[in-house]
Amino acid sequence: MEGETMPQEQLSVAVIGAGMAGRSHAAGYLNANTVFGRGLPRIRLAAIADANRDLAEDAADRYGFAKAVNSWEEVAEDPSIDAVSIVVSNALHRPIAEALVAAGKHVLCEKPLAGTLEDARAMVELERSASVVTAVGYTYRRNPAITAIRDHVRAGDLGDLSVFFGRYWANYACDPRGPFSWRYTGGPGSGALGDIGSHIIDVGEYVCGPIQSVSGGMFTTQITERPLPLGAVVGHEAAPVSEETAEVDNEDTAVFSVRFQSGLAGSFSVSRIAYGMPNELSFDIEGVAGQVSLDFHRPAEYIHNGMQVIVGPQLPYFRDGYPMQAAGLGGGYAEMFTYQTRAFLDHVSGGPDPLPPNASFADALHTMEVIQAVVKSAAADGARVSLPTATR
Ligand SMILES: NC(=O)c1ccc[n+]([C@@H]2O[C@H](COP(=O)([O-])OP(=O)(O)OC[C@H]3O[C@@H](n4cnc5c(N)ncnc54)[C@H](O)[C@@H]3O)[C@@H](O)[C@H]2O)c1
C-alpha cells in the first residue's frame, strides 16, 4: 500500500565480540526466525568479529556465520551488513557505535551503555541524530515472569506499592586467583554495580517506574588485586595466570537506597563475590493489596500473594516463544536473548506485530545516571543525590 514501509527480504547481521555474551547474541540471531511468527525477513549471519581469532572462528563455525573477522572495523566497513550487535567491553561501546551509525548500520549495544557517563551522553546525542535503530540489551526485560510482574503492577493488582527490595548477587569474582580483566578496571561504579547492578536497576525501573534519587550509597572491594592472565579471558571463566598482579579499581559490592518518582522506597544490593550464588537476580515488591517475589535461580516461576506461579503459555513471551507450548518447560537465559534479538530485528525490519522494542540509548543513559548518583552518594558518606533527569 502506498506510504507503507515494506519489510526487507533479507537482513545481513554481524556480532562484534565472541566472548560470553557475544555467543548469546549469535544464538539470538540464529534463532530469531523460529519464534513469534513469520514476519521477519531471512536473516543472513554475515560476520562475527573478535580480536581473539580462535574465538571468532569457533563462534562462526558453531552458529553458521559466513566469516570470522579480527576487528570491529572490518564489520563497520562491510557495506553488505545491515545490523550489528556490540558485545565487547563497555569502554569500546561508544567508538564502535559511532562508526556503525556513521556507516548506516542498525545497532544493538550491550549494557551498561558505555564505560563513562560522558560517553553515554555522547551516545544519546548520536541516537538523536541517527536514522538507524539504536537499542540496548537489557535482557531481563524479556523474562516472561518479570514481564508478568510488570503487568500486575501496572494493572494495580498489588494496590499502592510500599517497598521494592532488589538484589543481584553473583559469585563470579569470589576466587582471588580469578584473572584480571576489563571487568576490574574503570573506577567506582564500573565494577559489580555497572556490570550486574545495571540489570537490577533496569528491572526495578522497568517494573516500578523511574528512580528519582539515591541515598546511602556504599561500596566495598574485598579483593584489591588480581593476577594477570597468561592468555585470553572469556567472560567470568578461570584462565591460567601469572604471578604478576594488577590493581582492582572498582567495587566488589554496592548497596544503596532509592526513592522512585512515584514515591515508592527501594533498596538495592549488588555483589560479584556472593559465595554460593551463581547468578541471583531477585526482587520483592510489597503493595497494600498484594505482593510479588522473583528469584532468577528459579527463572520459570514467581510468587504472587504467597502462591507459586509456573511460567507457561498464560504469560507474555511464552506463547510462540517456545517450541513446546506447555507450562514448566521453559525459562532460560538463552531464550531471552532470542526474544531481545527478535525485538531488535522487528524494529529494524518494520514487520507486523513487533515485540515491544528494546531499551533505547536514552533509557540506558538513565541507568548510568542512577549508577553515577550511587557513586556520588558513596563519595559523600551516603548523602542523598537527586538524578539530573526526573523522567526517562
Ligand atoms: N545482557 C547480558 O546479560 C550480558 C551478560 C554478559 C555480558 N554483557 C555485556 O556484554 C559485553 C561483553 O561482555 P562479555 O562478558 O561477553 O565479555 P568477554 O570479555 O567475554 O568478551 C568480550 C570479547 O571482546 C573481544 N574484543 C576485545 N577488543 C576487541 C576489538 N577491538 N574488536 C573485536 N573484539 C574485541 C575480546 O577478545 C573478547 O572475546 C559487556 O558490555 C557486558 O556488560 C551482557
Side-chain angles (χ1 to χ4, degrees):
M1 200 188 288
E2 205 177 292
E4 252 183 31
T5 322
M6 292 303 290
Q8 282 174 259
E9 281 174 13
Q10 175 180 278
L11 276 171
S12 272
V13 301
V15 175
I16 295 174
M20 179 168 70
R23 295 171 195 161
S24 306
H25 280 252
Y29 286 114
L30 182 63
N31 292 315
N33 249 316
T34 67
V35 290
F36 306 116
R38 297 193 293 170
L40 264 195
R42 198 162 67 78
I43 303 302
R44 175 175 167 264
L45 303 177
I48 185 154
D50 200 293
N52 178 335
R53 178 165 280 287
D54 288 347
L55 271 188
E57 283 177 356
D58 175 71
D61 274 357
R62 284 200 279 149
Y63 297 102
F65 284 83
K67 62 180 177 184
V69 296
N70 246 160
S71 75
W72 63 263
E73 287 89 345
E74 285 178 73
V75 171
E77 286 160 12
D78 183 339
S80 77
I81 293 172
D82 303 303
V84 183
S85 283
I86 302 175
V87 204
V88 291
S89 52
N90 308 332
L92 285 172
H93 293 181
R94 175 184 173 184
I96 298 178
E98 286 175 345
L100 293 174
V101 169
K105 302 187 193 312
H106 305 282
V107 173
L108 172 59
C109 183
E110 261 305 335
K111 47 50 65 182
L113 181 57
T116 65
L117 191 55
E118 185 195 356
D119 280 1
R121 288 193 172 127
M123 288 173 76
V124 172
E125 287 308 311
L126 180 73
E127 178 174 71
R128 286 196 182 120
S129 60
S131 51
V132 290
V133 171
T134 46
V136 178
Y138 273 114
T139 318
Y140 285 94
R141 291 184 180 202
R142 304 292 168 184
N143 176 262
I146 291 175
T147 309
I149 287 172
R150 185 191 201 221
D151 290 346
H152 282 304
V153 168
R154 289 194 159 188
D157 297 346
L158 313 185
D160 277 349
L161 302 186
S162 53
V163 75
F164 174 96
F165 290 113
R167 69 185 196 187
Y168 201 144
W169 288 7
N171 67 356
Y172 67 79
C174 270
D175 182 357
R177 299 292 294 164
F180 188 84
S181 74
W182 61 265
R183 284 193 154 82
Y184 300 102
T185 184
S190 70
L193 183 58
D195 195 28
I196 52 178
S198 54
H199 276 302
I200 185 64
I201 292 169
D202 186 69
V203 166
E205 295 197 302
Y206 178 67
V207 174
C208 297
I211 289 171
Q212 194 172 45
S213 67
V214 165
S215 56
M218 196 185 294
F219 293 135
T220 70
T221 307
Q222 274 71 17
I223 301 170
T224 54
E225 46 185 87
R226 290 184 178 270
L228 290 172
L230 291 170
V233 176
V234 179
H236 309 140
E237 289 174 18
V241 291
S242 89
E243 286 311 308
E244 230 183 304
T245 61
E247 190 192 335
V248 173
D249 73 5
N250 58 25
E251 68 286 350
D252 285 332
T253 76
V255 295
F256 57 100
S257 300
V258 304
R259 173 80 66 189
F260 288 84
Q261 209 176 299
S262 63
L264 175 69
S267 164
F268 288 79
S269 64
V270 182
S271 174
R272 63 186 178 192
I273 54 165
Y275 191 86
M277 293 286 185
N279 189 57
E280 196 213 38
L281 176 141
S282 67
F283 61 88
D284 304 278
I285 305 173
E286 291 293 326
V288 295
Q291 67 81 225
V292 288
S293 303
L294 176 130
D295 175 348
F296 203 72
H297 280 159
R298 294 187 296 281
E301 66 178 66
Y302 68 99
I303 305 296
H304 181 206
N305 296 342
M307 306 285 284
Q308 183 189 37
V309 180
I310 301 288
V311 168
Q314 84 282 14
L315 296 189
Y317 290 110
F318 197 101
R319 182 170 294 287
D320 296 331
Y322 288 91
M324 267 195 205
Q325 290 296 308
L329 294 179
Y333 209 43
E335 286 111 357
M336 289 154 58
F337 272 97
T338 299
Y339 307 161
Q340 172 178 292
T341 312
R342 173 70 191 235
F344 173 55
L345 295 172
D346 279 348
H347 199 169
V348 166
S349 67
D353 279 341
L355 291 182
N358 288 299
S360 64
F361 284 6
D363 294 332
L365 169 64
H366 183 84
T367 319
M368 297 281 295
E369 287 172 342
V370 174
I371 290 169
Q372 187 61 23
V374 179
V375 172
K376 282 190 181 163
S377 173
D381 270 344
R384 180 178 165 147
V385 178
S386 293
L387 262 70
T389 43
T391 53
R392 295 164 75 130

